[in-house]
Every structure is written in structure tokens, then in C-alpha cells.
Amino acid sequence: MRRADRLFQIVQYLRCGRLLTASTLGKRLEVSERTIYRDIADLQASGVPIDGEAGVGYLMRDGYDLPPLMFNREEIVALVVGARIVRAWGGAKMALAATEALAKIEAMLPADARKAAGEVRIHAFDMSMSEKTRADLDRVEAAINAKAVLSLRYAAEDGRETARDIEPLGLYFWGKVWTLIAWCRLRTGFRVFRIDRMIELTESGEKFPLTKGRTLQDYLAQLTARGEHGPPHGRN
């Protein structure tokens, strides 16, 4: 959990009006008591009216609430539409996270802004993504973050199947089509793979380092040098 999220959760717990110890908060947030003490001190220093002390417990004085998030209408539209697009075209975990994030944002908006969010009339509908593609998209995104080598069975545009070990670098959405930019160990070069053409996808258990000449930035630099913007799919 990010520290900002943890501070937000501490405030939410203390708003219940009950005395809570650092031990109780630490167990709920899965951090040490020392971390809670430090977080409480920082919240108090920023003006949050938390009373109490170490060894006794903490509570929040009545009447305190978090300041509402302030967005203009265009920002609200962008947030709502972005979340709807991710729900329609993202991986299964991405879609759930988008829904939860939007609910958190709406909960913190003042009433008029919340009303504006509910009145956005721009929608995105999923007309073709299979559950397998959604699941593969989540797995690829996780592998990119973990720098995990993927073993891939892939169907090329002409129907031929190949087996590859790849280093996943970045995902791009082209409207109905997601592509993965990766370093292909078989071809010893950058390759672009469509997520919906992945027949079988497994983690090899190996991690890869970001190596000069084999990063996403290097791939994008090559495209720029060639005057290209990146195709929805490329040579495999």
C-alpha cells in the first residue's frame, strides 16, 4: 500500500469516533506500530486534529472531514470516460480497479461535482474482448512490472504458430487491439505481439534486467528515427 493511501485509511479509521491504538491500526494496515506513530505525527503536523498518545490510543476530534476534491467539469469528464474505457477494454483486474478508483473519487467530490460525474454521457462498450484476452492482458501487465520473462505460444497473422521467450516492455491500445512491445530472444530484437493472438502464456520464472539497447525507450527512439509512430502489430 502506498503511504498516501495508508494516511488516507488512518484518517478514515479515526473518523469512526472510537479510540484506536497504534497496534490496532498497524494490524489493519499491515505495518509496524513505529510506522503508525510516524504517520500519526505527520498527520498532526499537517493540521489533522488527532488526539491521543503512544500506548493509550488515538481518536479524531468531532467535526473534521477531509477537504473535498476539486475538479472542473472537463477534468471530471476525463476521469469518468477514462475509467469507463478501462472497464470496457482493460484486463479484468484493471476493470475492477477502475471501478473502485472512480467510486473513491466520487465519494470525495462535493455534491455538485458528484452530480456532474453522474451526468457524463460518454460511454465505452466492450464488443469483442474475450475473458482469455482480458486475463492475458492482466498477466502481461504484471510481468512488465515484475520484469518477468514470458514463454509464449503465438499465432502470426498467417496462422503460423511459434514459441518465444520474450522480455515484456510496454502495452499499447489501438482501439479494439492491445499490443505488447517486447524484446524477443528468438529474433534477438524488438517485436510487437497482439494480445488476442497469444495462444498460451506462462512465466518462465526468470527475471530480466533493463539492458541498454533493449528498453522500451530504445524501441520508441528507433521508431522516431525511422519517422514512424508504431504499428498496431508488426513483424514477429
Side-chain angles (χ1 to χ4, degrees):
M1 178 184 294
R2 294 180 309 165
R3 185 167 185 270
D5 294 331
R6 188 174 68 247
L7 293 175
F8 176 82
Q9 287 297 330
I10 290 173
V11 171
Q12 295 300 95
Y13 285 135
L14 294 178
R15 287 175 62 192
C16 71
R18 296 193 304 273
L19 190 71
L20 295 174
T21 64
S23 176
T24 298
L25 290 169
K27 289 177 182 177
R28 291 184 182 181
L29 297 170
E30 299 181 343
V31 295
S32 67
E33 291 184 38
R34 178 176 295 181
T35 297
I36 296 297
Y37 292 142
R38 184 168 58 248
D39 289 346
I40 292 288
D42 288 344
L43 286 168
Q44 290 172 326
S46 67
V48 180
I50 298 173
D51 292 328
E53 59 183 276
V56 177
Y58 300 94
L59 53 78
M60 187 174 296
R61 294 197 293 272
D62 291 339
Y64 178 78
D65 204 351
L66 290 173
L69 293 175
M70 299 304 295
F71 296 108
N72 61 36
R73 184 186 179 281
E74 289 74 20
E75 291 168 338
I76 290 172
V77 170
L79 289 168
V80 172
V81 173
R84 288 175 179 174
I85 290 174
V86 172
R87 284 189 302 200
W89 294 100
K93 291 181 180 178
M94 293 182 201
L96 178 59
T99 300
E100 292 178 345
L102 191 56
K104 288 180 180 179
I105 291 171
E106 289 180 347
M108 298 303 298
L109 291 173
D112 57 340
R114 192 179 307 120
K115 182 174 182 291
E119 293 176 346
V120 175
R121 295 293 180 260
I122 304 174
H123 299 275
F125 293 102
D126 170 24
M127 304 298 290
S128 62
M129 281 187 70
S130 68
E131 292 305 311
K132 178 184 180 304
T133 299
R134 285 185 179 274
D136 285 346
L137 186 55
D138 282 331
R139 295 173 66 191
V140 168
E141 192 271 336
I144 292 171
N145 287 335
K147 298 182 180 61
V149 175
L150 293 174
S151 296
L152 178 67
R153 280 181 56 223
Y154 186 78
E157 190 171 6
D158 61 6
R160 291 181 298 107
E161 291 186 17
T162 59
R164 315 288 183 90
D165 283 341
I166 61 174
E167 300 173 7
L169 302 173
L171 284 162
Y172 286 82
F173 183 59
W174 300 85
K176 290 192 175 183
V177 174
W178 280 94
T179 59
L180 167 66
I181 311 301
W183 179 267
C184 178
R185 292 183 170 181
L186 177 66
R187 305 300 189 200
T188 60
F190 294 110
R191 290 296 184 271
V192 183
F193 300 93
R194 282 180 51 157
I195 303 299
D196 58 352
R197 289 183 182 164
M198 293 180 177
I199 301 168
E200 186 177 0
L201 181 68
T202 57
E203 285 195 21
S204 69
E206 179 187 353
K207 304 293 185 182
F208 66 91
L210 290 178
T211 305
K212 184 175 177 58
R214 292 166 54 166
T215 69
L216 181 60
Q217 290 71 27
D218 293 319
Y219 171 79
L220 296 176
Q222 288 182 14
L223 291 183
T224 300
R226 296 197 300 263
E228 300 176 12
H229 300 288
H233 53 85
R235 293 180 304 141
N236 301 126

